[in-house]
């Protein structure tokens, strides 16, 4: 019964029935089947990253009532990075369903930046930021040249990578990760791995693929910082007790 349930799940969501028999019954590591499964898995990781990566960070900040340890500059860069595909989609009149996921991620990042400013006692600046962001995006959509929009879109990945460098640097200088969400970083790491894998399949060792790999490595660094600093804090607490 359990085997039947597992088979149904795998065949429905991850692989054709032929691949199930090859991998799990014949124990034959069929390369096309393995690639198919890895592509499917990468797709799931990318979807989870797109829709959920920022949500745990937002919840943790609201729950703790603090933005301690979070780099405002890093999240400003993330705000820019997530704004770029939305502006690009609006400027090219793409249907909403094609970029709704990016809009959802942008909304979460806007909320995070606002909360960082709010918890630092700068709520007015946070509100002004919301209006300014909406205004700039609408102006770019309406009046920016196609070449400018393309350059903005192309720069989003660099901004996203830079944001991770800034957050990792902040963690190092603080000696802790503060309110940085472990789950958010883990989802981002999985999503970046998924994008890097798909990019390698499609583009080979191109600069874009290498950039995605670098982004995944930086997410891994952030995750390692969280685990190391937490382990250090637990060790210090035990010695104190």
């Amino acid at each position: 019964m359990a085997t039947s349930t597992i088979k149904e799940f795998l065949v429905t969501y991850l692989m054709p029935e032929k691949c199930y028999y090859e991998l799990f019954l014949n124990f034959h590591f069929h390369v096309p089947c393995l690639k198919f499964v890895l592509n499917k898995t990468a797709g799931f990781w990318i979807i989870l990253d797109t829709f959920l990566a920022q949500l745990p960070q937002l919840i943790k900040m609201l729950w703790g009532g603090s933005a301690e340890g979070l780099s405002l500059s890093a999240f400003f860069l993330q705000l820019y990075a997530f704004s770029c595909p939305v502006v690009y989609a609006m400027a090219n009149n793409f249907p909403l369903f094609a970029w709704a996921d990016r809009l959802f991620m942008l909304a979460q990042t806007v909320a995070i930046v606002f909360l960082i400013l709010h918890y630092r006692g700068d709520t007015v600046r946070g509100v002004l930021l919301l209006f300014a962001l909406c205004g700039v995006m609408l102006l770019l959509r309406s009046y920016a040249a196609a070449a400018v929009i393309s350059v903005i879109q192309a720069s989003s990945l660099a901004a996203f990578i830079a944001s991770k460098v800034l957050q990792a640097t902040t963690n190092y200088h603080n000696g802790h990760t503060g309110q940085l969400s472990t789950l958010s970083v883990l989802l981002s790491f999985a999503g970046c791995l998924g994008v890097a894998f798909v990019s390698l399949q499609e583009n080979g060792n191109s600069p874009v693929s290498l950039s995605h790999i670098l982004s995944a490595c930086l997410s891994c660094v952030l995750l390692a910082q969280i685990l190391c600093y937490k382990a250090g804090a637990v060790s210090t607490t035990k010695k104190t007790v």
Side-chain angles (χ1 to χ4, degrees), residues 5-18 20-21:
T5 305
I6 292 170
K7 176 188 173 184
E8 185 179 347
F9 174 81
L10 291 174
V11 170
T12 303
Y13 296 105
L14 278 180
M15 65 187 71
E17 193 166 0
K18 177 188 174 182
Y20 175 82
Y21 285 115

Side-chain angles (χ1 to χ4, degrees), residues 22-33:
E22 288 285 347
L23 296 174
F24 293 97
L25 297 183
N26 299 331
F27 299 106
H28 175 219
F29 292 101
H30 194 241
V31 174
C33 283

Side-chain angles (χ1 to χ4, degrees), residues 7 15 39 71 76 84 113 115 135 141 168 174 177-178 186 190 195:
K7 176 188 173 184
M15 65 187 71
N39 275 312
S71 167
F76 267 134
C84 293
V113 171
L115 285 176
R141 176 206 180 277
N174 290 342
T177 54
L186 182 61
V195 173

Side-chain angles (χ1 to χ4, degrees), residues 157-158 161 192 195-201 203-218:
L157 180 56
I161 290 171
C192 289
V195 173
F197 177 77
V198 172
S199 183
L200 283 170
Q201 296 292 310
N203 306 313
N205 296 325
S206 66
V208 174
S209 298
L210 295 176
S211 297
H212 286 303
I213 292 170
L214 175 59
S215 181
C217 290
L218 288 169

Side-chain angles (χ1 to χ4, degrees), residues 136-152:
V136 170
M137 289 178 69
L138 289 173
L139 286 172
L140 286 172
R141 176 206 180 277
S142 303
Y143 300 108
V148 174
I149 297 294
S150 296
V151 170
I152 290 172

Side-chain angles (χ1 to χ4, degrees), residues 165-234:
V165 173
L166 286 176
Q167 185 60 59
T169 304
T170 299
N171 295 340
Y172 177 76
H173 286 309
N174 290 342
H176 62 80
T177 54
Q179 290 293 97
L180 190 63
S181 168
T182 307
L183 184 55
S184 281
V185 175
L186 182 61
L187 287 170
S188 177
F189 175 56
C192 289
L193 276 181
V195 173
F197 177 77
V198 172
S199 183
L200 283 170
Q201 296 292 310
E202 294 178 351
N203 306 313
N205 296 325
S206 66
V208 174
S209 298
L210 295 176
S211 297
H212 286 303
I213 292 170
L214 175 59
S215 181
C217 290
L218 288 169
S219 291
C220 186
V221 169
L222 290 173
L223 191 59
Q225 285 182 321
I226 291 173
L227 297 176
C228 289
Y229 287 133
K230 281 188 176 179
V234 170

